Amino acid sequence: MNPEARTPPQDAVTVRRLRLGIGSVGIALPVVLIVGHLLVTRRFTLLDSLSGYYHTEMRDVFVGSLCAVGVFLIAYRYRWPDDALGTVAGLLAIAVALFPTTVGAPAGTTSHSDRMVGVVHQVAAAGLFLLLAGFCLFLFTRPDRVGVPPRPSAVRLYRVCGGLILVAVTLALASTLLPADVRHTVKPVLWCETVAVFAFGAAWVAKSDALFRAARPGPKDPGEAQRDLVA
């Protein structure tokens, strides 16, 4: 049995809206966390990671946004590889939200169980970023369901976004070798996570193509109309 036939594909409008929702939340998340924390505390302070905002007044925004992305990814149905990886990525996004990091927690408040939860958070976050990079590098760059390939400029964008995610994850892991005072001053994990989240968000927004195509006036040629139906 053809695996792509197991689940009926969603219509083009639903697929575009899910892609746009996933990408928009991803792009907005770092900005809302950092700016929101700045406005509430009324002083310019940056935490060591985006996950650290769980331990601030921005906790609900952090958890709610990741759970929203997780639900969108689980609900995303396009074809078999996308469906399976989207479901796994969605579960990982929810795990990142519900299993908080110990980074940024008040000193002396973390127990052994808290540290184990923190390990789950780190593993889930790494897995999520790798899957999102896979979407950019391997899934978004393939021909669509009827064999129409994406535009070359779009393929380049997806590959750049996927590469940025992989580089950001690698640098974030490498930064753990830096002295603690350097990590606290430079905050490499925060910047690496921000770049990775922006990159994945940009790729999903671009893949949705909804805003740009909806704004195009005039009739479309048959080939372009076919691409719009399956984008």
Side-chain angles (χ1 to χ4, degrees), residues 61-108:
V61 174
F62 178 80
V63 173
S65 298
L66 281 175
C67 286
V69 169
V71 171
F72 287 155
L73 285 166
I74 292 171
Y76 180 69
R77 290 291 178 268
Y78 185 63
R79 54 185 166 187
W80 163 243
D82 306 65
D83 299 350
L85 294 181
T87 298
V88 175
L91 293 174
L92 289 174
I94 294 173
V96 171
L98 300 183
F99 292 86
T101 181
T102 56
V103 177

Tab-separated table of all heavy atoms in Angstrom, residues 61-108:
chain	number	residue	atom	x	y	z
A	61	VAL	N	4.045	32.641	27.827
A	61	VAL	CA	4.285	32.901	26.406
A	61	VAL	C	5.164	31.796	25.822
A	61	VAL	O	4.892	31.274	24.730
A	61	VAL	CB	4.951	34.271	26.209
A	61	VAL	CG1	5.329	34.487	24.743
A	61	VAL	CG2	4.027	35.381	26.696
A	62	PHE	N	6.205	31.433	26.540
A	62	PHE	CA	7.126	30.388	26.081
A	62	PHE	C	6.395	29.060	25.915
A	62	PHE	O	6.457	28.424	24.854
A	62	PHE	CB	8.283	30.249	27.074
A	62	PHE	CG	9.262	29.167	26.738
A	62	PHE	CD1	10.246	29.369	25.790
A	62	PHE	CD2	9.202	27.931	27.374
A	62	PHE	CE1	11.153	28.355	25.471
A	62	PHE	CE2	10.097	26.918	27.067
A	62	PHE	CZ	11.073	27.137	26.113
A	63	VAL	N	5.686	28.645	26.958
A	63	VAL	CA	4.997	27.353	26.924
A	63	VAL	C	3.870	27.369	25.885
A	63	VAL	O	3.724	26.441	25.085
A	63	VAL	CB	4.440	26.994	28.316
A	63	VAL	CG1	3.582	25.735	28.253
A	63	VAL	CG2	5.583	26.797	29.305
A	64	GLY	N	3.079	28.435	25.885
A	64	GLY	CA	1.962	28.510	24.947
A	64	GLY	C	2.407	28.514	23.500
A	64	GLY	O	1.791	27.843	22.650
A	65	SER	N	3.472	29.246	23.196
A	65	SER	CA	3.953	29.319	21.818
A	65	SER	C	4.474	27.976	21.334
A	65	SER	O	4.159	27.537	20.212
A	65	SER	CB	5.052	30.379	21.708
A	65	SER	OG	4.560	31.662	22.035
A	66	LEU	N	5.250	27.299	22.167
A	66	LEU	CA	5.791	26.003	21.758
A	66	LEU	C	4.694	24.960	21.631
A	66	LEU	O	4.732	24.114	20.725
A	66	LEU	CB	6.856	25.543	22.754
A	66	LEU	CG	8.225	26.192	22.583
A	66	LEU	CD1	9.163	25.761	23.696
A	66	LEU	CD2	8.835	25.834	21.229
A	67	CYS	N	3.722	24.997	22.533
A	67	CYS	CA	2.601	24.060	22.414
A	67	CYS	C	1.798	24.339	21.148
A	67	CYS	O	1.336	23.404	20.473
A	67	CYS	CB	1.702	24.153	23.644
A	67	CYS	SG	2.401	23.391	25.127
A	68	ALA	N	1.636	25.621	20.796
A	68	ALA	CA	0.932	25.964	19.560
A	68	ALA	C	1.686	25.427	18.351
A	68	ALA	O	1.087	24.829	17.438
A	68	ALA	CB	0.757	27.474	19.457
A	69	VAL	N	3.005	25.628	18.319
A	69	VAL	CA	3.812	25.092	17.222
A	69	VAL	C	3.693	23.572	17.177
A	69	VAL	O	3.562	22.967	16.104
A	69	VAL	CB	5.289	25.515	17.378
A	69	VAL	CG1	6.177	24.745	16.405
A	69	VAL	CG2	5.439	27.011	17.145
A	70	GLY	N	3.721	22.940	18.363
A	70	GLY	CA	3.596	21.485	18.413
A	70	GLY	C	2.280	20.996	17.848
A	70	GLY	O	2.232	20.036	17.060
A	71	VAL	N	1.186	21.645	18.218
A	71	VAL	CA	-0.135	21.253	17.704
A	71	VAL	C	-0.208	21.472	16.197
A	71	VAL	O	-0.740	20.633	15.455
A	71	VAL	CB	-1.239	22.033	18.437
A	71	VAL	CG1	-2.592	21.807	17.764
A	71	VAL	CG2	-1.307	21.624	19.904
A	72	PHE	N	0.317	22.599	15.725
A	72	PHE	CA	0.325	22.855	14.275
A	72	PHE	C	1.096	21.767	13.537
A	72	PHE	O	0.663	21.292	12.479
A	72	PHE	CB	0.958	24.215	13.973
A	72	PHE	CG	0.103	25.394	14.336
A	72	PHE	CD1	0.677	26.625	14.609
A	72	PHE	CD2	-1.270	25.291	14.403
A	72	PHE	CE1	-0.106	27.724	14.939
A	72	PHE	CE2	-2.063	26.375	14.730
A	72	PHE	CZ	-1.477	27.599	15.001
A	73	LEU	N	2.252	21.383	14.072
A	73	LEU	CA	3.068	20.363	13.415
A	73	LEU	C	2.369	19.005	13.414
A	73	LEU	O	2.427	18.260	12.425
A	73	LEU	CB	4.428	20.253	14.104
A	73	LEU	CG	5.419	21.382	13.808
A	73	LEU	CD1	6.577	21.354	14.797
A	73	LEU	CD2	5.947	21.272	12.381
A	74	ILE	N	1.722	18.659	14.510
A	74	ILE	CA	1.011	17.381	14.577
A	74	ILE	C	-0.175	17.382	13.605
A	74	ILE	O	-0.476	16.376	12.963
A	74	ILE	CB	0.542	17.110	16.015
A	74	ILE	CG1	1.758	16.866	16.928
A	74	ILE	CG2	-0.397	15.899	16.063
A	74	ILE	CD1	1.417	16.803	18.396
A	75	ALA	N	-0.849	18.525	13.485
A	75	ALA	CA	-2.012	18.624	12.600
A	75	ALA	C	-1.627	18.708	11.131
A	75	ALA	O	-2.471	18.489	10.261
A	75	ALA	CB	-2.848	19.847	12.982
A	76	TYR	N	-0.361	19.016	10.842
A	76	TYR	CA	0.099	19.213	9.465
A	76	TYR	C	0.056	17.899	8.698
A	76	TYR	O	0.669	16.908	9.101
A	76	TYR	CB	1.519	19.765	9.502
A	76	TYR	CG	2.151	20.038	8.160
A	76	TYR	CD1	1.702	21.071	7.353
A	76	TYR	CD2	3.224	19.269	7.705
A	76	TYR	CE1	2.300	21.334	6.134
A	76	TYR	CE2	3.828	19.530	6.495
A	76	TYR	CZ	3.359	20.565	5.715
A	76	TYR	OH	3.953	20.816	4.502
A	77	ARG	N	-0.688	17.864	7.603
A	77	ARG	CA	-0.792	16.672	6.763
A	77	ARG	C	-0.592	17.071	5.305
A	77	ARG	O	-1.395	17.793	4.739
A	77	ARG	CB	-2.166	16.001	6.940
A	77	ARG	CG	-2.359	15.353	8.305
A	77	ARG	CD	-1.455	14.140	8.455
A	77	ARG	NE	-1.586	13.516	9.764
A	77	ARG	CZ	-0.824	13.804	10.825
A	77	ARG	NH1	0.106	14.738	10.708
A	77	ARG	NH2	-0.987	13.186	11.964
A	78	TYR	N	0.505	16.569	4.735
A	78	TYR	CA	0.797	16.898	3.336
A	78	TYR	C	1.068	15.631	2.537
A	78	TYR	O	0.416	15.345	1.559
A	78	TYR	CB	1.973	17.865	3.278
A	78	TYR	CG	2.282	18.361	1.897
A	78	TYR	CD1	1.358	19.120	1.191
A	78	TYR	CD2	3.504	18.082	1.291
A	78	TYR	CE1	1.624	19.573	-0.086
A	78	TYR	CE2	3.784	18.534	0.018
A	78	TYR	CZ	2.844	19.287	-0.667
A	78	TYR	OH	3.121	19.731	-1.937
A	79	ARG	N	2.049	14.857	2.958
A	79	ARG	CA	2.313	13.533	2.406
A	79	ARG	C	3.115	12.762	3.436
A	79	ARG	O	3.543	13.321	4.450
A	79	ARG	CB	3.031	13.607	1.060
A	79	ARG	CG	4.304	14.414	1.051
A	79	ARG	CD	4.868	14.517	-0.352
A	79	ARG	NE	5.888	15.533	-0.426
A	79	ARG	CZ	6.453	15.927	-1.561
A	79	ARG	NH1	6.098	15.391	-2.688
A	79	ARG	NH2	7.364	16.879	-1.563
A	80	TRP	N	3.355	11.503	3.183
A	80	TRP	CA	3.834	10.597	4.226
A	80	TRP	C	5.081	11.065	4.988
A	80	TRP	O	5.031	11.168	6.213
A	80	TRP	CB	4.059	9.204	3.642
A	80	TRP	CG	4.904	8.307	4.492
A	80	TRP	CD1	6.106	7.774	4.183
A	80	TRP	CD2	4.607	7.853	5.817
A	80	TRP	NE1	6.594	7.014	5.217
A	80	TRP	CE2	5.696	7.046	6.222
A	80	TRP	CE3	3.552	8.060	6.693
A	80	TRP	CZ2	5.737	6.429	7.478
A	80	TRP	CZ3	3.595	7.454	7.942
A	80	TRP	CH2	4.670	6.643	8.318
A	81	PRO	N	6.217	11.388	4.356
A	81	PRO	CA	7.375	11.775	5.184
A	81	PRO	C	7.102	13.026	6.005
A	81	PRO	O	7.491	13.115	7.174
A	81	PRO	CB	8.493	12.002	4.158
A	81	PRO	CG	8.039	11.302	2.930
A	81	PRO	CD	6.558	11.397	2.929
A	82	ASP	N	6.421	13.997	5.401
A	82	ASP	CA	6.107	15.236	6.115
A	82	ASP	C	5.202	14.958	7.309
A	82	ASP	O	5.383	15.534	8.388
A	82	ASP	CB	5.414	16.228	5.175
A	82	ASP	CG	6.208	16.495	3.911
A	82	ASP	OD1	6.385	15.561	3.108
A	82	ASP	OD2	6.644	17.638	3.716
A	83	ASP	N	4.212	14.080	7.116
A	83	ASP	CA	3.273	13.770	8.187
A	83	ASP	C	3.990	13.150	9.391
A	83	ASP	O	3.791	13.556	10.533
A	83	ASP	CB	2.194	12.802	7.694
A	83	ASP	CG	1.381	13.377	6.548
A	83	ASP	OD1	1.524	14.586	6.268
A	83	ASP	OD2	0.610	12.621	5.941
A	84	ALA	N	4.818	12.149	9.113
A	84	ALA	CA	5.492	11.434	10.199
A	84	ALA	C	6.466	12.339	10.943
A	84	ALA	O	6.457	12.415	12.178
A	84	ALA	CB	6.223	10.215	9.643
A	85	LEU	N	7.315	13.043	10.196
A	85	LEU	CA	8.296	13.912	10.837
A	85	LEU	C	7.629	15.105	11.511
A	85	LEU	O	8.089	15.570	12.557
A	85	LEU	CB	9.325	14.388	9.813
A	85	LEU	CG	10.233	13.294	9.230
A	85	LEU	CD1	11.231	13.894	8.255
A	85	LEU	CD2	10.957	12.541	10.332
A	86	GLY	N	6.533	15.593	10.928
A	86	GLY	CA	5.805	16.683	11.556
A	86	GLY	C	5.222	16.272	12.896
A	86	GLY	O	5.259	17.037	13.865
A	87	THR	N	4.686	15.056	12.974
A	87	THR	CA	4.139	14.563	14.236
A	87	THR	C	5.230	14.425	15.292
A	87	THR	O	5.056	14.835	16.447
A	87	THR	CB	3.442	13.212	14.017
A	87	THR	OG1	2.354	13.392	13.102
A	87	THR	CG2	2.915	12.657	15.332
A	88	VAL	N	6.362	13.846	14.910
A	88	VAL	CA	7.471	13.700	15.857
A	88	VAL	C	7.973	15.066	16.310
A	88	VAL	O	8.204	15.297	17.508
A	88	VAL	CB	8.620	12.881	15.232
A	88	VAL	CG1	9.822	12.839	16.171
A	88	VAL	CG2	8.149	11.467	14.911
A	89	ALA	N	8.146	15.993	15.357
A	89	ALA	CA	8.610	17.336	15.706
A	89	ALA	C	7.611	18.037	16.619
A	89	ALA	O	7.993	18.748	17.553
A	89	ALA	CB	8.839	18.164	14.435
A	90	GLY	N	6.318	17.843	16.372
A	90	GLY	CA	5.306	18.451	17.220
A	90	GLY	C	5.366	17.933	18.647
A	90	GLY	O	5.256	18.704	19.610
A	91	LEU	N	5.545	16.629	18.792
A	91	LEU	CA	5.669	16.052	20.133
A	91	LEU	C	6.919	16.571	20.838
A	91	LEU	O	6.902	16.837	22.049
A	91	LEU	CB	5.700	14.523	20.039
A	91	LEU	CG	4.398	13.865	19.555
A	91	LEU	CD1	4.612	12.366	19.356
A	91	LEU	CD2	3.276	14.110	20.554
A	92	LEU	N	8.000	16.729	20.093
A	92	LEU	CA	9.226	17.260	20.683
A	92	LEU	C	9.048	18.714	21.108
A	92	LEU	O	9.546	19.124	22.165
A	92	LEU	CB	10.383	17.145	19.687
A	92	LEU	CG	10.908	15.735	19.422
A	92	LEU	CD1	11.963	15.752	18.310
A	92	LEU	CD2	11.492	15.120	20.689
A	93	ALA	N	8.326	19.511	20.305
A	93	ALA	CA	8.081	20.903	20.669
A	93	ALA	C	7.287	20.993	21.972
A	93	ALA	O	7.571	21.824	22.841
A	93	ALA	CB	7.335	21.617	19.538
A	94	ILE	N	6.290	20.141	22.111
A	94	ILE	CA	5.505	20.125	23.351
A	94	ILE	C	6.358	19.670	24.523
A	94	ILE	O	6.245	20.196	25.643
A	94	ILE	CB	4.267	19.229	23.168
A	94	ILE	CG1	3.328	19.856	22.124
A	94	ILE	CG2	3.530	19.031	24.490
A	94	ILE	CD1	2.154	18.977	21.738
A	95	ALA	N	7.248	18.698	24.280
A	95	ALA	CA	8.148	18.240	25.342
A	95	ALA	C	9.087	19.353	25.788
A	95	ALA	O	9.351	19.514	26.986
A	95	ALA	CB	8.955	17.032	24.867
A	96	VAL	N	9.591	20.145	24.839
A	96	VAL	CA	10.457	21.272	25.186
A	96	VAL	C	9.712	22.260	26.079
A	96	VAL	O	10.285	22.824	27.030
A	96	VAL	CB	10.954	21.986	23.901
A	96	VAL	CG1	11.670	23.288	24.240
A	96	VAL	CG2	11.886	21.074	23.121
A	97	ALA	N	8.419	22.443	25.814
A	97	ALA	CA	7.622	23.376	26.607
A	97	ALA	C	7.324	22.847	28.007
A	97	ALA	O	7.373	23.594	28.990
A	97	ALA	CB	6.310	23.675	25.877
A	98	LEU	N	7.024	21.551	28.108
A	98	LEU	CA	6.542	20.995	29.372
A	98	LEU	C	7.646	20.452	30.268
A	98	LEU	O	7.412	20.217	31.455
A	98	LEU	CB	5.520	19.891	29.089
A	98	LEU	CG	4.273	20.326	28.294
A	98	LEU	CD1	3.313	19.161	28.144
A	98	LEU	CD2	3.589	21.508	28.967
A	99	PHE	N	8.838	20.232	29.698
A	99	PHE	CA	9.983	19.782	30.492
A	99	PHE	C	11.000	20.922	30.520
A	99	PHE	O	11.858	21.011	29.645
A	99	PHE	CB	10.599	18.515	29.891
A	99	PHE	CG	9.714	17.304	29.980
A	99	PHE	CD1	8.757	17.060	29.002
A	99	PHE	CD2	9.824	16.420	31.037
A	99	PHE	CE1	7.929	15.961	29.070
A	99	PHE	CE2	9.008	15.303	31.122
A	99	PHE	CZ	8.051	15.071	30.139
A	100	PRO	N	10.925	21.796	31.514
A	100	PRO	CA	11.740	23.022	31.492
A	100	PRO	C	13.223	22.768	31.730
A	100	PRO	O	13.622	21.786	32.362
A	100	PRO	CB	11.149	23.851	32.639
A	100	PRO	CG	10.571	22.836	33.566
A	100	PRO	CD	10.041	21.734	32.689
A	101	THR	N	14.021	23.683	31.214
A	101	THR	CA	15.450	23.650	31.451
A	101	THR	C	15.754	24.134	32.862
A	101	THR	O	14.954	24.844	33.482
A	101	THR	CB	16.174	24.551	30.436
A	101	THR	OG1	17.581	24.493	30.662
A	101	THR	CG2	15.718	25.998	30.561
A	102	THR	N	16.903	23.743	33.367
A	102	THR	CA	17.355	24.266	34.661
A	102	THR	C	18.174	25.534	34.482
A	102	THR	O	18.448	26.224	35.466
A	102	THR	CB	18.208	23.222	35.398
A	102	THR	OG1	19.300	22.823	34.546
A	102	THR	CG2	17.378	21.988	35.748
A	103	VAL	N	18.546	25.846	33.243
A	103	VAL	CA	19.281	27.080	32.964
A	103	VAL	C	18.367	28.270	33.227
A	103	VAL	O	17.272	28.355	32.676
A	103	VAL	CB	19.792	27.118	31.520
A	103	VAL	CG1	20.496	28.441	31.231
A	103	VAL	CG2	20.725	25.946	31.252
A	104	GLY	N	18.813	29.177	34.076
A	104	GLY	CA	18.004	30.335	34.400
A	104	GLY	C	17.141	30.159	35.631
A	104	GLY	O	16.499	31.114	36.083
A	105	ALA	N	17.083	28.940	36.181
A	105	ALA	CA	16.322	28.720	37.404
A	105	ALA	C	17.029	29.384	38.575
A	105	ALA	O	18.262	29.490	38.600
A	105	ALA	CB	16.166	27.226	37.659
A	106	PRO	N	16.290	29.862	39.580
A	106	PRO	CA	16.931	30.475	40.750
A	106	PRO	C	17.933	29.537	41.402
A	106	PRO	O	17.710	28.324	41.491
A	106	PRO	CB	15.744	30.763	41.678
A	106	PRO	CG	14.569	30.872	40.765
A	106	PRO	CD	14.831	29.910	39.648
A	107	ALA	N	19.058	30.088	41.808
A	107	ALA	CA	20.120	29.280	42.409
A	107	ALA	C	19.609	28.547	43.647
A	107	ALA	O	18.884	29.103	44.466
A	107	ALA	CB	21.300	30.172	42.785
A	108	GLY	N	19.995	27.271	43.743
A	108	GLY	CA	19.646	26.483	44.915
A	108	GLY	C	18.241	25.919	44.901
A	108	GLY	O	17.809	25.332	45.904
